[in-house]
Amino acid sequence: MEYIIETNNLCKNYMKNKVLKNLNVHVPKGSIYGLVGKNGAGKSTFMRVICGVQDATSGEYKIYGVSNNDSKINKTRSRIGAVIETVSMYPGMSAKENMKQQYRLLGIPSWDGIDELLELVGLGDTGKKKAKNFSLGMRQRLGLAMTLAGSPDCIILDEPMNGLDPEGIIEMRETIIKLNKEKDITFIISSHILDELSKVATHYGFIDDGHLVEEISSDEIEKKCRKSSCLEVSDVKSMTKILEDKGHEYSVDSETKITVFDEFDINGVLPEMIEKKCKLISVTSSNESLESYYLNLFGEIKKEV
């Protein structure tokens, strides 16, 4: 697998405060990589180090295979665009005027492509409306358009959904997915809104106290979080035979409990259970979300500590 960004035992200290502690992250090319962790876990610090805003204390990171210790790193880093913490723009200017300023900063010789970029992020019809009169969602999307001016292969967004109303969240989500699919842009996104993150992310990195706890794809999480039914029965052996005959996938959890995966209706097996004198003690259904997966994962960490 090709990685756009890799870190190897990356550390960042502020005086005696260790924020990143041997962090090992792998961001696949073409992915939407969701960074998940509580406040102070090190997500924003990781982003600032990758963008070159801050230097690493120790360890290494690579961007497109180029090490941060290589003299070519600044040129390679130019392939990354980022909006970290706040969107920088001129509030007294329109979206188009802000884009022209961004072009000037980047040394782009003409205004070619500005209208297309604004259209791409849903700001093509804002006319002379000043940025100070934009909604938060519109300002976020203008920041994204300004980032796109440099034609990046990878975009880093720190809490892009934060403070948005439901309509703004939907617009930002659709824009990210569109850019990922149509422009093949890799995204690294940190977000506290896990339900929304789960609608765009293809991969996740769970960070706690500066450490990477787990990296996992959305497909793997979906398998772990898929719908299931936990059956407590008097005769596990008979119950497994019934489930096998019905073609259900299951796992035996204890001498009395079985977890059945896929769509399962207890009424469909009751006649066979009665015939085999297998009593149903209880049945519970679950369909774990990213939020509950996160809570369970970090709950296990706390138990280990």
Side-chain angles (χ1 to χ4, degrees):
M1 183 178 291
E2 182 181 353
Y3 297 114
I4 281 186
I5 291 172
E6 299 176 78
T7 69
N8 181 25
N9 293 328
L10 189 66
C11 297
K12 176 61 182 176
N13 303 342
Y14 297 106
M15 302 298 285
K16 294 183 179 180
N17 183 26
K18 296 180 180 180
V19 180
L20 300 182
K21 306 170 183 176
N22 298 315
L23 187 68
N24 295 292
V25 167
H26 308 80
V27 181
K29 184 180 185 300
S31 67
I32 300 178
Y33 189 98
L35 275 176
V36 183
K38 62 184 179 181
N39 286 334
K43 304 187 301 298
S44 295
T45 299
F46 162 74
M47 291 176 164
R48 286 193 290 267
V49 169
I50 294 299
C51 291
V53 177
Q54 296 176 340
D55 293 327
T57 302
S58 63
E60 181 189 31
Y61 63 86
K62 292 181 179 179
I63 302 175
Y64 291 97
V66 178
S67 169
N68 61 299
N69 300 312
D70 193 311
S71 59
K72 298 177 183 176
I73 189 61
N74 287 332
K75 184 177 180 180
T76 305
R77 192 184 282 116
S78 66
R79 298 173 67 180
I80 294 178
V83 180
I84 299 177
E85 295 177 348
T86 58
V87 178
S88 298
M89 63 181 64
Y90 297 94
M93 292 184 178
S94 68
K96 193 165 186 176
E97 288 168 339
N98 267 285
M99 289 297 294
K100 287 181 179 180
Q101 288 296 328
Q102 184 70 359
Y103 267 46
R104 289 189 182 100
L105 287 171
L106 295 172
I108 301 173
S110 74
W111 308 138
D112 292 348
I114 287 180
D115 291 336
E116 289 79 3
L117 288 177
L118 290 175
E119 193 67 38
L120 188 63
V121 299
L123 295 177
D125 59 353
T126 54
K128 295 182 179 180
K129 185 175 182 177
K130 290 179 171 52
K132 64 182 178 182
N133 298 319
F134 284 5
S135 68
L136 182 56
M138 291 171 70
R139 290 197 296 272
Q140 293 278 50
R141 283 182 282 127
L142 177 55
L144 188 53
M146 292 168 71
T147 298
L148 288 167
S151 301
D153 299 311
C154 175
I155 293 178
I156 296 176
L157 300 175
D158 190 11
E159 298 289 347
M161 315 291 189
N162 195 29
L164 299 185
D165 59 22
E167 184 178 354
I169 289 174
I170 292 170
E171 289 172 347
M172 180 57 71
R173 180 211 311 160
E174 291 178 346
T175 301
I176 290 169
I177 293 173
K178 182 178 181 180
L179 290 169
N180 175 254
K181 290 184 176 179
E182 295 183 6
K183 302 293 185 180
D184 196 28
I185 295 175
T186 302
F187 280 87
I188 303 173
I189 303 172
S190 73
S191 179
H192 285 101
I193 308 175
L194 298 187
D195 181 53
E196 276 305 318
L197 190 61
S198 69
K199 293 174 183 175
V200 298
T202 61
H203 295 76
Y204 298 93
F206 292 92
I207 297 178
D208 184 62
D209 192 29
H211 296 282
L212 181 75
V213 176
E214 181 180 48
E215 279 187 323
I216 189 170
S217 71
S218 57
D219 289 340
E220 290 171 315
I221 281 192
E222 189 175 332
K223 289 177 182 178
K224 290 186 177 184
C225 297
R226 63 182 169 171
K227 189 174 182 180
S228 63
S229 299
C230 182
L231 309 180
E232 188 175 4
V233 295
S234 62
D235 188 344
V236 166
K237 187 175 181 180
S238 295
M239 192 68 220
T240 57
K241 181 65 169 64
I242 294 169
L243 292 171
E244 286 173 4
D245 290 344
K246 293 284 186 179
H248 288 293
E249 185 182 350
Y250 67 88
S251 66
V252 177
D253 304 324
S254 71
E255 294 180 355
T256 59
K257 292 183 178 180
I258 299 175
T259 296
V260 185
F261 304 102
D262 63 42
E263 292 296 327
F264 175 75
D265 183 1
I266 190 65
N267 294 318
V269 295
L270 281 177
E272 288 83 356
M273 292 179 69
I274 292 171
E275 181 183 339
K276 293 182 178 294
K277 297 181 180 180
C278 178
K279 295 180 181 179
L280 178 65
I281 300 171
S282 68
V283 56
T284 55
S285 297
S286 66
N287 190 9
E288 193 175 22
S289 64
L290 176 61
E291 184 175 330
S292 57
Y293 183 84
Y294 164 83
L295 292 173
N296 288 336
L297 177 64
F298 282 74
E300 288 300 318
I301 295 168
K302 290 177 183 177
K303 289 177 185 178
E304 291 174 7
V305 173

